[in-house]
Amino acid sequence: MRAGVVRFQRAGEGADFLQLDPGGVPVRGLTSWLVDALRAGIADGRLAAGVVLPASRALAGDLGVSRGVIVEAYQRLREEGLVSARQGAGTTVLPVRRPAGPDVSLPAGGPPPAGPGLAGPGPAGPGLAGPRSAGPGSAGPGSAGLGSAGLAPVTGPLPGLLPLPWRARTEIDLSPGVPDLSAFPRAAWLRAERAALAQAGAADLGYGDPRGNERLRTVLAGWLARTRGLRAAPGDIVIVTGVAQALALLGQVLRARGTIRIAVEDPGSRGARLQLAHWGLEPEPVPVDEHGLRVDALIRSGLPAAVLTPAHQFPTGVVLAPDRRRELVDWAGAGGLVIEDDYDAEHRYDRPPVPALQASAPDRIAYAGSTSKTLAPGLRLGWLIPPRWLHTDLVAAKHSSDLGSPALPQLVLAHLIASGDLERHIRLVRQRQRTRRNALFAALREHLPQARIQGVAAGLHLLVTFPDLAGQLDDEALASRIEATGVLVHPLSMHRIAPGPPGLVLGYAAHPPGQLREAAQRIASAAQPS
C-alpha cells in the first residue's frame, strides 16, 4: 500500500486496506473493532505518518457496513490524537515517536500520561517525578520509550522525570490534569501565527523583556480583568512557562528571603509539593474539607505563606467558601502571603466561575495561571502576577533562569486573546467537557452506587471516595487492580500527606463518552469485594 493510495476488493467482502474483514463481528461492535484495527496499524507502523485513510463512504462500501461506523471510528481516532481531519485533505495519520522498546508510541499531540509515580497533575502540572517507586503507573528504573533513531540508547536507571509513552501501560488513561488535546484549535493557532509573524518587528524576535512580550502582557491584563476579576497592569505581569515555573521562581525568591516552611493543601497537588521542596521549602499540610482550606488551621500553624487552589481545589473540586475567603484575606493582610493557583477556573459547567482572590489583596497574593488546561500543556505558556514587593526579585530570577519565555508563542497567544478566538475555543471545549463529565458521572452512579462522587461542577476530573470503607480499603491496591483491567487512575492517597478516607481521582477530558463508560464498568468490576 502506497501512502494515500488504497485498492479495495468488491463491496462487502473485506478490504485490501489492512486486510480488514468484518466477518463475525457483531453489528454493535463494528465501530470498536475498526478503531482497534486502525489503532494497531498506527502503533506497529503499517499506517505511517501522512497516510490518508480511505474515504468513509468508500471504506463503508468495501466492508459492507454503514458509513456511520466509519465516521465514528475516524472521530474516535481523531479524539485520541492519532489522526487529523481537514476538509479537502481527508483523514491523515499523524506522526508518532516510536520508542526503542516494545511500548506503543506517543502520538504527536496526544495526551502525555501523568500516572502515579510521575508528577501530580494538579497545579504544578505533569513533569515532576517523586520518589514513589511502587503503585500503578510508577516509572521505575529502565522505563522504555526514550530512545531516538541514530543515538545510543540511554542506559542505567532513568530519573523518573519523563512521562511514559502514550498507552505504554494501559488502554484508558484517566490521569487527572490532561486536557482534550485533540480539541486544540489548530486552524485558529495557524491563523494567529501567520498574523503574528506578519506584524512582528525584528525586535520582537530578539532577547526581550524578561517579564514577557509587552503586547501579550497588555491583552492578558484586560482578559484576566474581564474573566477573572484581576487588578493588574501589564507591568505587573511576568510571563512564565507554566504554573510549575511560577512556583519555582517563588520558591527561589522566598527561600532567599528566609522563608523555610510553607503551607500546602491536604489533600493537594503532589507535583506542587515536590516543586516547592526542590527549591528548598518545607511543605506543611493544612487540611481541606468540604468548604476548602481550613483557614483556622492555617492561622494556628504560624506559617508565613500558603499555596492554594481556591477556585477549584485539587483534587476535591471544592470552591473555597465565602467566609473562608474573607478569613484568608484577613490572614494575608496581617502579613501572610497567598500563592493563588487558578487551577481549572475556566472549566465550570454548573455555576459561574468565582472571581480570583487576587483582587481582594493584590499586595499579599501572588496569582498564577496558564494555558495548560485551556489549550495544551506542551505550549509552556503561563503568567505570574506577584505582589509588587516581590516583583523585582522574581523578574531577576526569571532572567537568570532562561532570559525570558519564547517570543513567537507569546505573540500568537496575544493574537488569540485579542481576536476572541481563545474565548470561543474555551466555550466550545467547555460544552464538550460537560458531555464527557456527564457520561462518566452517570456510568459511575450506575455501576458504583456505593461511592461518593465529588467535583462535579467544574474541572477536568472527578473525585470518587468510599466513606463507608475508611480504614478498610487501600486505594493504592484498588488502583493497581483497576490498572490490571486496562484503566489508569490516581489513588487519592497519592495526593495526601495525612491519612484520610480512600478514594480515586479520575480525569475525563481526554476520552470520548464511550470510553469513559467502559472505564467506569471496569473500575466497578475491580472495586467489587473478592
Side-chain angles (χ1 to χ4, degrees), residues 444-445 447-452 464-469 524 527-529:
L444 290 170
R445 275 281 182 239
H447 299 291
L448 207 61
Q450 70 273 29
R452 179 187 178 194
V464 178
T465 58
F466 305 88
D468 295 338
L469 297 178
Q528 295 302 318

Side-chain angles (χ1 to χ4, degrees), residues 2-23:
R2 299 196 312 273
V5 180
V6 181
R7 294 184 301 125
F8 299 103
Q9 299 174 342
R10 292 188 300 275
E13 293 188 0
D16 285 346
F17 175 68
L18 294 185
Q19 295 77 53
L20 293 173
D21 181 2

Side-chain angles (χ1 to χ4, degrees), residues 125 159 250 287:
L250 285 162

Side-chain angles (χ1 to χ4, degrees), residues 178-357:
V178 180
D180 181 10
L181 300 182
S182 67
F184 182 80
R186 297 170 186 262
W189 184 272
L190 184 59
R191 287 194 306 269
E193 192 166 82
R194 287 172 174 162
L197 283 171
Q199 298 168 6
D204 288 319
L205 301 179
Y207 291 110
D209 190 330
R211 294 174 300 173
N213 179 270
E214 184 177 5
R215 172 161 172 75
L216 174 57
R217 289 185 286 113
T218 299
V219 298
L220 192 59
W223 184 62
L224 291 172
R226 293 193 307 273
T227 61
R228 303 299 298 125
L230 261 67
R231 293 163 49 193
D236 297 325
I237 300 174
V238 181
I239 301 301
V240 292
T241 57
V243 173
Q245 188 180 45
L247 290 178
L249 298 177
L250 285 162
Q252 295 171 59
V253 168
L254 291 177
R255 189 68 179 84
R257 285 170 166 257
T259 297
I260 297 176
R261 300 160 60 230
I262 188 168
V264 295
E265 297 169 315
D266 189 25
S269 168
R270 181 170 177 265
R273 295 200 305 270
L274 293 171
Q275 179 75 285
L276 295 167
H278 178 81
W279 294 107
L281 298 181
E282 298 176 8
E284 301 267 351
V286 175
V288 170
D289 60 22
E290 66 272 18
H291 302 295
L293 183 85
R294 288 276 306 278
V295 181
D296 59 335
L298 173 63
I299 295 170
R300 288 195 302 271
S301 73
L303 296 168
V307 181
L308 277 78
T309 51
H312 181 241
Q313 201 275 333
F314 180 87
T316 67
V318 301
V319 177
L320 189 63
D323 57 335
R324 295 196 182 174
R325 286 172 67 98
R326 291 190 295 271
E327 292 172 3
L328 184 66
V329 170
D330 290 343
W331 171 82
L337 174 68
V338 174
I339 300 173
E340 177 181 13
D341 179 358
D342 209 13
Y343 181 68
D344 271 357
E346 302 89 350
H347 297 285
R348 301 208 68 86
Y349 313 119
D350 302 335
R351 55 175 294 173
V354 294
L357 275 172

